[in-house]
C-alpha cells in the first residue's frame, strides 16, 4: 500500500457526536497503513463509544480524563503533543469547534490541541442547521485563519432523521486528506491532464469493441498528482472504479472520439499530459442504431472497421512546451518498441508495461514498468502498487521539468 502514514504518530481526538462510531473504522484503517494511533476522547464521546473499543483497535491506552497522566516527566497533554506528527479531531462537533476557535482549553483534548505545533485536521459532523448557523461558520472561519486544516461535511441522510449537509465525510476521504497533509506539494502550479480506462466503440446499441483496461493505472496517477499539489483533470473511459477525490476535475467519456474531444478541451491549459488510457485503435465504420439481427442462414458476419484518431500522436505534433507522457502496452521487445513509440509520437517520457505478464498491467492493482525518456535513458521499476508506480512516474516528470528549466537557465 502506498502511504505516507507508515510509522507516523497520529492522535485521533474523538468528540461527542453520533458519528463517533465511524471513527472506529478510521482507527482500523490507519493502523492497517502502519500508523501508530493514539486516541483521546472527550467525556461526551465516551457516551457514544467505549474507550475500550478504541484501546483494542489502536493497541494504545485511550485518554479520556484531564488528569490521566502519562508515565514519565512530562504532563500528559504535552507529552502527547510532542510525539504527534498529526492530530485529527473526528467527529468535530460544533462545541469543540467553538471552544478551540475561542481559545478555551478546559479538558485533556482541548489543552492538547492548544499545546501542539503539528497540523490539526478538523472533520466536522453535525445537524445541518447547526453547521449552517452563523456562529459555527464564524468559528470555522477563525479556525481557518489560525491555520487549522478543515474538511467540509458530506451531504445526505443525517442521524437526526433529516437530510442535508453535516455527515462525516467518507473514511477514505479523511485518510486521503491526512495523506495530503504529509505530502510535499512539489507539483503545485502544474496543470495535469490524465487519461484512464478503456474506450468503447459501439457496433450496435448492445454490442461493442473494448479492452480489459480497468482505469486503475490512470486513476492512481491522477490521485497522486493531486496529492502532490497539481491541478488535475482525469478523463476516463467507462470503468467500475469509484469516482476520484472531489477536487479532481473528472470527465467521463466513452469512445475514442469523445476522449480526443475532451483531451483537446483541456490541452491548451495543461502543462503535463499523461495518457494511460487504452484507446481502441479502430471503430466500426457504420454503427447500427438498431440491434443487429442474427441471420441463421449465414455463419459469417463481417464488421468493417476504420481507424480511430491517434490522440497521443496528434498531441505530439502540437505539444509546445508541455510534458507529454505516453504508455506502451507491449508483449515483446518492451524497450525497443516503447522507445520507437516515444520517438514517433514526440513524447518526453514513455512508460512501458508488459501486458502479457501475469499479475500486472490490465485490471491488476500492481504494475511493473520501464520508464524511458527522450534521451533514451531507461529506468526499470519492479512490481509494486499502481499508486507507487504513479509516484515514480511523477518523479520522472518532475526531473524532466527541472532539467528543462536548468537548460533554459544555463542558456541565459
Ligand atoms: O487500466 P488498467 O487496468 O490499470 O491497466 C493499465 C494499462 C495496461 C491500460 C496501462 O498501463 C497502459 O499500458 N496504457 C496504454 C495502453 C495502450 O493503449 O497502449 P498502446 O501501446 O496501444 O498505445 C500507446 C499510447 O498511445 C498510449 O499512451 C495510448 O493512450 C495512446 N493512444 C493509443 C491509441 C490511440 N488511438 N490513441 C492514443 O492516444
Amino acid at each position: 500500500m502506498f502511504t505516507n502514514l507508515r510509522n507516523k504518530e497520529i492522535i485521533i481526538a474523538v468528540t461527542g457526536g453520533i458519528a463517533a462510531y465511524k471513527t472506529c473504522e478510521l482507527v482500523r484503517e490507519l493502523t492497517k497503513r502502519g500508523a501508530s494511533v493514539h486516541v483521546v476522547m472527550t467525556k461526551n464521546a465516551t457516551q457514544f463509544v467505549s474507550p475500550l473499543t478504541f484501546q483494542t483497535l489502536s493497541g494504545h491506552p485511550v485518554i479520556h480524563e484531564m488528569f490521566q497522566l502519562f508515565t514519565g516527566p512530562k504532563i500528559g497533554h504535552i507529552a502527547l503533543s510532542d510525539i504527534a506528527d498529526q492530530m485529527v479531531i473526528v467527529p468535530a462537533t460544533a462545541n469543540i469547534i467553538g471552544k478551540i476557535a475561542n481559545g478555551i482549553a478546559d479538558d485533556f483534548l482541548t489543552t492538547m490541541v492548544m499545546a501542539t505545533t503539528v497540523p490539526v485536521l478538523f472533520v466536522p459532523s453535525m445537524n445541518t442547521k447547526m453547521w449552517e448557523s452563523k456562529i459555527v461558520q464564524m468559528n470555522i472561519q477563525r479556525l481557518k485563519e489560525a491555520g487549522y486544516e478543515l474538511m467540509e461535511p458530506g451531504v445526505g441522510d443525517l442521524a437526526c432523521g433529516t437530510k442535508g449537509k453535516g455527515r462525516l465525510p467518507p473514511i477514505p476521504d479523511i485518510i486521503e486528506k491526512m495523506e495530503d497533509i504529509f505530502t510535499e506539494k512539489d507539483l503545485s502550479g502544474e496543470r495535469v491532464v490524465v487519461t484512464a480506462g478503456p474506450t468503447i466503440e459501439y457496433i450496435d446499441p448492445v454490442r461493442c469493441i473494448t479492452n480489459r483496461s480497468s482505469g486503475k493505472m490512470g486513476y492512481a496517477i491522477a490521485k497522486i498528482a493531486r496529492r502532490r499539489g497539481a491541478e488535475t483533470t482525469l478523463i476516463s473511459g467507462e470503468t467500475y472504479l469509484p469516482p476520484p477525490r472531489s477536487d479532481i476535475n473528472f470527465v467521463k467519456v466513452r469512445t475514442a472520439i469523445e476522449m480526443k474531444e475532451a483531451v483537446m478541451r483541456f490541452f491548451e491549459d495543461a502543462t503535463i499530459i499523461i495518457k494511460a488510457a487504452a484507446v481502441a485503435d479502430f471503430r466500426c465504420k457504420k454503427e447500427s442504431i438498431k440491434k443487429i439481427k442474427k441471420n441463421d442462414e449465414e455463419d459469417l458476419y463481417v464488421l468493417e472497421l476504420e481507424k480511430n484518431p491517434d490522440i497521443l500522436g496528434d498531441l505530439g505534433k502540437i505539444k509546445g512546451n508541455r510534458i507529454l507522457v505516453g504508455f506502451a502496452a507491449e508483449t515483446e521487445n518492451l524497450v525497443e518498441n516503447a522507445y520507437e513509440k516515444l520517438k514517433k509520437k514526440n513524447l518526453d517520457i514513455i512508460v512501458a508495461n508488459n501486458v502479457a505478464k501475469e499479475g500486472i498491467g490490465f485490471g491488476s492493482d500492481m504494475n511493473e514498468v520501464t520508464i524511458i525518456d527522450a534521451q533514451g535513458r531507461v529506468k526499470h521499476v519492479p512490481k509494486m502498487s499502481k499508486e507507487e508506480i504513479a509516484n515514480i512516474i511523477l518523479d520522472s516528470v518532475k526531473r524532466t521539468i527541472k532539467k528543462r528549466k536548468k537548460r533554459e537557465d544555463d542558456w541565459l
Side-chain angles (χ1 to χ4, degrees):
M1 193 181 294
F2 177 63
T3 177
N4 290 310
L5 294 163
R6 190 164 296 119
N7 299 327
K8 292 286 190 328
E9 299 288 343
I10 306 289
I11 315 285
I12 296 292
V14 191
T15 69
I18 183 64
Y21 77 93
K22 295 183 183 169
T23 309
C24 300
E25 186 59 26
L26 176 65
V27 172
R28 257 174 63 91
E29 286 300 322
L30 293 174
T31 53
K32 260 199 230 165
R33 283 164 175 75
S36 168
V37 183
H38 307 267
V39 178
V40 172
M41 303 175 78
T42 59
K43 198 159 176 264
N44 287 342
T46 63
Q47 299 290 314
F48 291 91
V49 180
S50 134
L52 184 62
T53 308
F54 283 119
Q55 179 160 329
T56 311
L57 292 172
S58 68
H60 288 118
V62 171
I63 302 181
H64 53 92
E65 279 172 16
M66 180 69 184
F67 300 105
Q68 206 175 324
L69 295 183
F70 264 16
T71 50
K74 283 196 176 170
I75 308 171
H77 58 269
I78 307 287
L80 214 47
S81 295
D82 280 355
I83 62 158
D85 292 305
Q86 190 180 133
M87 290 185 188
V88 188
I89 306 180
V90 50
T93 55
N95 183 46
I96 200 74
I97 288 168
K99 274 186 175 179
I100 294 176
N102 291 283
I104 297 169
D106 65 351
D107 63 3
F108 189 94
L109 195 153
T110 44
T111 46
M112 175 190 73
V113 173
M114 295 300 164
T116 195
T117 53
V118 302
V120 179
L121 170 64
F122 283 75
V123 190
S125 166
M126 66 195 76
N127 165 274
T128 310
K129 285 190 183 128
M130 282 172 91
W131 171 253
E132 286 171 352
S133 76
K134 229 175 175 176
I135 194 71
V136 168
Q137 287 308 311
M138 275 164 62
N139 287 333
I140 290 284
Q141 196 49 37
R142 279 181 80 105
L143 290 178
K144 282 185 187 163
E145 282 162 15
Y148 290 108
E149 301 277 349
L150 273 137
M151 287 184 82
E152 287 282 310
V155 177
D157 292 329
L158 299 173
C160 52
T162 58
K163 264 187 201 285
K165 194 164 182 176
R167 280 175 69 85
L168 194 81
I171 301 301
D173 292 10
I174 301 174
I175 292 175
E176 186 55 19
K177 180 74 187 176
M178 293 175 68
E179 296 272 14
D180 250 23
I181 291 170
F182 282 128
T183 306
E184 191 199 338
K185 302 290 173 258
D186 62 344
L187 290 177
S188 78
E190 303 295 344
R191 292 175 299 281
V192 178
V193 173
V194 183
T195 69
T199 63
I200 294 180
E201 311 301 332
Y202 291 94
I203 299 169
D204 67 18
V206 294
R207 303 182 180 96
C208 63
I209 301 168
T210 187
N211 59 64
R212 295 191 295 117
S213 170
S214 63
K216 287 178 184 173
M217 190 66 246
Y219 278 55
I221 297 170
K223 177 175 174 177
I224 304 300
R226 183 67 199 119
R227 207 185 266 178
R228 287 173 65 161
E231 244 178 72
T232 305
T233 296
L234 173 63
I235 300 171
S236 172
E238 298 265 357
T239 75
Y240 291 99
L241 300 176
R245 44 187 281 178
S246 58
D247 52 3
I248 289 178
N249 180 24
F250 185 42
V251 182
K252 277 177 118 178
V253 296
R254 288 170 308 167
T255 65
I257 301 270
E258 284 177 14
M259 184 169 278
K260 178 166 180 182
E261 278 168 10
V263 169
M264 290 306 171
R265 240 184 307 136
F266 292 96
F267 164 79
E268 197 54 44
D269 211 30
T271 56
I272 300 165
I273 301 162
I274 306 179
K275 286 221 70 249
V279 185
D281 287 314
F282 298 95
R283 65 177 181 276
C284 290
K285 199 162 180 186
K286 270 195 215 118
E287 180 189 329
S288 171
I289 50 167
K290 289 190 189 145
K291 185 181 170 194
I292 299 168
K293 287 260 175 267
K294 191 169 75 175
N295 183 345
D296 288 337
E297 313 291 289
E298 287 175 24
D299 288 337
L300 199 65
Y301 185 85
V302 178
L303 266 185
E304 228 186 324
L305 301 177
E306 64 183 347
K307 252 191 178 165
N308 261 331
D310 179 350
I311 308 171
L312 191 59
D314 291 346
L315 291 176
K317 292 178 194 143
I318 53 167
K319 70 174 186 163
N321 244 348
R322 296 167 189 84
I323 302 283
L324 192 53
V325 182
F327 269 72
E330 303 294 339
T331 52
E332 56 187 349
N333 302 330
L334 205 70
V335 175
E336 294 79 3
N337 290 348
Y339 192 58
E340 209 177 300
K341 277 182 189 166
L342 176 145
K343 286 284 166 210
K344 194 170 152 216
K345 302 191 186 201
N346 191 26
L347 311 178
D348 297 285
I349 294 172
I350 194 149
V351 182
N353 43 195
N354 183 346
V355 287
K357 207 165 168 180
E358 275 290 303
I360 61 162
F362 285 111
S364 170
D365 288 336
M366 315 289 281
N367 212 352
E368 176 185 335
V369 301
T370 303
I371 303 175
I372 308 165
D373 74 3
Q375 284 72 46
R377 279 176 291 222
V378 175
K379 178 184 168 74
H380 181 70
V381 185
K383 185 171 170 180
M384 57 183 79
S385 78
K386 284 183 174 166
E387 287 190 6
E388 285 170 293
I389 298 260
N391 203 39
I392 293 172
I393 294 170
L394 290 166
D395 286 344
S396 300
V397 169
K398 185 80 200 164
R399 265 196 304 278
T400 306
I401 295 170
K402 266 195 188 154
K403 267 188 245 144
R404 188 181 283 179
K405 177 129 191 15
K406 187 170 180 310
R407 272 203 305 275
E408 282 167 6
D409 289 350
D410 288 350
W411 192 81
L412 289 172

